Amino acid sequence: MLVRYYHDDLRKVMVEHLGSLEILRVDAASLEKVLCDFFVKNNIPWQNLVSLLMDSCAVMRGSKTGLETRIQQHCPNLLDVDGDSCHHIHNAAKKFSEGFDGYLERVFSDLQVDHQWSPDQVMYLKEVAMILNLPVSSPQRGFVNHRWLSAYDASMATHAMMPAYQVLYYGFLSTADKELYKEPLESIFTKHNVNQTARARVEVVQDKLAKKGMTPQGRERKKRICQKLWHEETTTVLQLSLYKGVLAILKDYVMIFQGSQTLVHKLHDRQLELFLAYLACFVKAEHITKLSPRALRELVLEDHMLLPSKDVYVGQEADTFRSQNPKHALLVPFLASVRKAYITTAVYLQKKLPLNSPTLIALSALDPLLRGHSQATLQLKRLSAMLNHLLPEDQDLSRELVQFSVDLTLPRYKEGDGMVDWWGHVFHQPGKYPALSALAKCCLSIFHGPRVESSFSLMNEIIDQRSGNMNVETFNAIQTAKYVLQSRGQTAVQMFERSDVKFGESLGESFSLQDVVNDGPSPEEEVVHPERPDPGEAEEAYHSDVEAHGIALDDDLPHITLTSENFSLSGLCEKLCVLLKFFTVQ
């Protein structure tokens, strides 16, 4: 579990590790019990919880028995910010690819596996790319089917390296196919200005690869790759063009909200922009541009609203091919698949994105650019009604909002400035906006992206083959310490440095760590142990002294005292729980 809250002293929004819990049975009831026990054990009031952000599986967000529904019994004023929108967009990319039966995904996977255990083939691929003057990109980078739109990244890399792949895999073609595609290969060489010496080198590379021993699986895989690169080149290029164009719309959204910047005020607008931009690819603009968010949510796509096949967006290369070959045999089935993919994905986005969410619309009013507009004041009042239980009862928020909307002492805000920094100026005006400050701190704590995914990366750095038996308590402590350091941008030495720690205080001496660094013999001096006689003295001097065993080392030797208050990992956890006045959990 990660927690997000505004830190008054540091004047920034913090994301820290709240806890890692061991769960044997993963269902909503078990998760609820574990969370309740954790909150009780750490004395965290449920009413301080502003919102939860989880993926949209039935266990987490089921409308009847999901975890979020169960938590609302303990926290009835829990703010509904919907599920993780980046997960929705990720699933939308998966839905879009279903219209093409995973054609490109199989290409990406075959290319990755074919190079994964062949360093010589990777070396030859890079050499061919350099000969063709192409940006070198290795397929080993780890394509994971639809994982965070990796299909888009793979499409971009594969399209850029397409000529290099064709030249490399030409060597694996049969003799008849080599003769068939000899002229297209020459066209690639000519287009990329490859001289005769370089062509001769390419032939050597192709011959070496063709003579390599291959397993039956490897032979079949290369056969599939050659089929897609040479025999079905047109289909491959058309789909790469489509993926590059359409998935870029989805990728842009994910790149914005999976970062660490606080952008909760942009959620509604960005989701609306994303949905409209996607619809515009295949729907006539006049049917969507003037619709309200509610109308867009309820829109039923009919045939007369859709663009004709010749105008549907398919990416630059596919559009050029369509205009030059309007009657090509592959064009009709391709465009039919494109329309099906567009409609299916649009229906999914329409269902999953909270386009008409009152909560997200109200959160938009946090944008400093909207200050001074009557609608912003109205939405902030609605937001205060949702979080009224967390606001001070003795303060007049309505009066504060009126004053806030016309306050000339607040700094000007420009698009791109840090919103949290700007609101920090509001928070640190003593007594001027107490209720509004509490409201804004609640809202700034809201998660809006998959930050919990980053904790899995940190987990991989801790748990490996050698530490697979680590217990949950140890892992929990390490994660907590890592997040505390990360959120403050400090190393352990910087955070726990204490100028009051001295050596030898019990001996009446006083010297610091720097004294130890500066003290000691020079390089020219002979080092002799103070308790040990000169090597030239009698051998008896080296015999152990029985009485010496009675010396209390703890009393006589210099030492450092580390207090649990400052250095205990459990102490860090306790301090974090105290800070959680307004917070959200992911």
Side-chain angles (χ1 to χ4, degrees), residues 2 26 47 61 85 113 180 244 276 336 364 390 546:
L2 299 184
V26 183
Q47 62 266 27
R61 300 200 71 246
S85 59
V113 173
L180 178 64
K244 285 172 53 190
L276 285 172
S364 300
L390 292 174
V546 177

Side-chain angles (χ1 to χ4, degrees), residues 30 154 171 192 235-236 241 248 297 352 399 415 511 526 543 568:
S30 300
H192 294 273
T235 300
T236 302
S241 172
R297 179 83 184 211
K352 292 296 183 180
R399 179 185 58 79
E415 186 70 47
F511 53 94
E526 181 181 2
H543 292 171
S568 169

Side-chain angles (χ1 to χ4, degrees), residues 340-399:
K340 178 182 176 182
Y342 269 135
I343 295 175
T344 303
T345 308
V347 171
Y348 175 84
L349 288 172
Q350 191 179 37
K351 178 182 178 181
K352 292 296 183 180
L353 294 181
L355 300 174
N356 194 40
S357 168
T359 303
L360 297 189
I361 293 174
L363 287 170
S364 300
L366 290 172
D367 193 337
L369 290 174
L370 301 181
R371 187 174 71 93
H373 197 287
S374 59
Q375 279 299 314
T377 302
L378 177 62
Q379 292 300 335
L380 285 174
K381 287 182 179 179
R382 292 176 178 173
L383 201 56
S384 67
M386 301 176 192
L387 297 169
N388 188 55
H389 62 292
L390 292 174
L391 305 183
E393 297 179 358
D394 58 342
Q395 301 296 329
D396 186 355
L397 178 62
S398 297
R399 179 185 58 79

Side-chain angles (χ1 to χ4, degrees), residues 60-73:
M60 294 299 186
R61 300 200 71 246
S63 59
K64 295 183 179 179
T65 59
L67 177 61
E68 186 170 344
T69 303
R70 290 173 178 269
I71 294 300
Q72 287 174 348
Q73 299 173 7

Side-chain angles (χ1 to χ4, degrees), residues 52 71 212 275 476:
L52 288 171
I71 294 300
K212 282 185 60 175
F275 190 59
N476 182 61

Side-chain angles (χ1 to χ4, degrees), residues 199-321:
R199 295 187 188 195
R201 173 57 187 167
V202 168
E203 289 181 6
V204 172
V205 169
Q206 291 171 342
D207 289 340
K208 286 184 177 180
L209 288 176
K211 293 176 181 178
K212 282 185 60 175
M214 291 181 284
T215 64
Q217 294 86 351
R219 192 175 295 107
E220 284 298 315
R221 184 170 54 249
K222 286 180 171 57
K223 184 178 179 181
R224 291 195 301 268
I225 294 174
C226 289
Q227 179 76 16
K228 301 292 178 64
L229 294 178
W230 284 107
H231 302 297
E232 300 175 9
E233 177 190 4
T234 302
T235 300
T236 302
V237 171
L238 288 174
Q239 292 198 23
L240 284 173
S241 172
L242 181 69
Y243 271 43
K244 285 172 53 190
V246 177
L247 296 188
I249 300 173
L250 306 180
K251 182 74 171 183
D252 288 343
Y253 179 91
V254 172
M255 292 301 294
I256 292 172
F257 288 103
Q258 72 176 3
S260 59
Q261 189 176 4
T262 300
L263 295 171
V264 65
H265 61 299
K266 295 291 187 183
L267 271 173
H268 173 71
D269 292 342
R270 291 290 186 177
Q271 289 180 12
L272 196 59
E273 290 172 9
L274 166 69
F275 190 59
L276 285 172
Y278 181 81
L279 288 179
C281 292
F282 69 104
V283 178
K284 296 175 182 176
E286 59 268 23
H287 292 293
I288 56 176
T289 51
K290 297 181 180 180
L291 295 181
S292 65
R294 179 185 294 274
L296 282 172
R297 179 83 184 211
E298 299 171 354
L299 178 66
V300 178
L301 296 174
E302 300 178 358
D303 289 342
H304 71 277
M305 301 179 179
L306 306 182
L307 291 170
S309 296
K310 64 182 181 64
D311 296 326
V312 171
Y313 177 70
V314 290
Q316 185 176 0
E317 291 83 0
D319 186 53
T320 301
F321 179 85

